[in-house]
Amino acid sequence: MEHYEVKRAVGACDVDLGLLQKLEQCLTDEIEGSTTLTLSGRRNKPAKLWAQGRLNRKRKPEKQIFSSVTEYKHSEIEDGISSIVLERNEEGSENRVRLSLNSRGAEGCNQLLISMKGTNVNSRGPQIVGQIIALLNDQKAVTRFVHAAIFYPLFILFAVLPVAYLARDIIRAFSILETSYSMVATTLYTFLLVFVIRQFTPFCIFDSPANRKAKRIAGYAAVGAATIFILLIFAGA
């Protein structure tokens, strides 16, 4: 009897209900059995309950368990959800696939676990892994630094700053030597910036109303900051 087992960290990705449905369908096609979807976190509560004093300040994380993604009756992932676990158990055996996704960035939280015994599992297992990773890669995110609403404007700013200096040098000097130097410096700077950012722990972004709002605000702030700095650079040329 063959035994296939894998424990693999997965990269950061943008998680929405569409992705969860695709993952569930993939597991359903490959494994006959039952599905469990668990969402955990401190969900936002209606303001009326807060006013009535029926909720404590420190709320424990809640768990919502469903037997299918379609049972989750929301168009988006609710605010406050920080952990999503999708699990498929094969009927009549201990074979299972478990995918854990977390928005807190804790090391080891984003994992794919597969444990299978039986005939042909050494060929079925890698096939399932490949399909799941392909679906996650289709919505791959970058890192915590880029996606955090507070730091996103800073990332845009430092990314466009050397480009603005390069453009100023070209316009001001038209010097081949100076332009070449600026291009090399800009290239090295960009590679260094990407390297540093990639060192941050990746985490998943859940498609919630709060996250969409934060991205919009961060985008406006980033464009505004970048525009101001570019104008200042050209003004001081």
Side-chain angles (χ1 to χ4, degrees), residues 31-86:
I31 299 176
E32 293 186 4
S34 59
T35 298
T36 303
L37 173 68
T38 305
L39 293 89
S40 305
R42 295 180 175 87
R43 292 183 295 159
N44 291 350
K45 295 296 183 179
K48 184 183 294 186
L49 294 181
W50 287 103
Q52 294 173 354
R54 290 166 54 186
L55 295 173
N56 296 324
R57 273 190 173 181
K58 295 183 178 180
R59 291 177 290 120
K60 295 181 179 180
E62 302 175 50
K63 281 189 177 182
Q64 304 176 73
I65 301 176
F66 307 94
S67 59
S68 173
V69 178
T70 57
E71 288 187 2
Y72 187 66
K73 302 301 182 183
H74 295 273
S75 58
E76 301 168 313
I77 298 173
E78 295 171 277
D79 291 338
I81 298 297
S82 58
S83 173
I84 297 176
V85 176
L86 183 64

Side-chain angles (χ1 to χ4, degrees), residues 181-203:
Y181 172 79
S182 297
M183 292 181 66
V184 171
T186 301
T187 302
L188 293 176
Y189 173 88
T190 302
F191 276 112
L192 178 62
L193 183 66
V194 171
F195 173 78
V196 171
I197 291 174
R198 291 301 297 177
Q199 307 315 304
F200 286 80
T201 304
F203 74 135

